[in-house]
Amino acid sequence: DVSAWYALYGPAGLASDVASKYRSALASRLVAPGIEDRMRKLGFVAAPSAPAELVALRQREAAFWGPVVKASGFTPED
């Protein structure tokens, strides 16, 4: 089972109150009438989350895909 996910990141040191405002604004738009339907038609399911949930998702993904990438012999180009 493979799925893709997208995240919006801010610059390092972004104040938590500013990040929270951006997260709230984005989350409200993702479920706005018309936008949510359009995204579903394109195959996307919006799942706004808190920063800690994104960290946990990234950790799970790294734990799963890390060994797969290592076994493939893939190395990043310099």
Side-chain angles (χ1 to χ4, degrees):
D1 182 23
V2 178
S3 62
W5 53 268
Y6 301 90
L8 180 64
Y9 293 88
L14 182 66
S16 62
D17 62 325
V18 174
S20 181
K21 287 179 185 178
Y22 277 111
R23 187 170 45 87
S24 294
L26 179 60
S28 68
R29 296 307 305 150
L30 289 174
V31 296
I35 293 177
E36 187 174 28
D37 293 337
R38 177 74 174 138
M39 288 183 64
R40 284 193 186 277
K41 287 178 184 174
L42 294 170
F44 295 97
V45 177
S49 64
E53 293 170 314
L54 178 57
V55 169
L57 171 65
R58 290 184 57 190
Q59 290 172 340
R60 287 191 308 272
E61 292 284 292
F64 179 84
W65 289 108
V68 174
V69 172
K70 187 174 183 176
S72 76
F74 176 82
T75 57
E77 294 180 5
D78 294 358

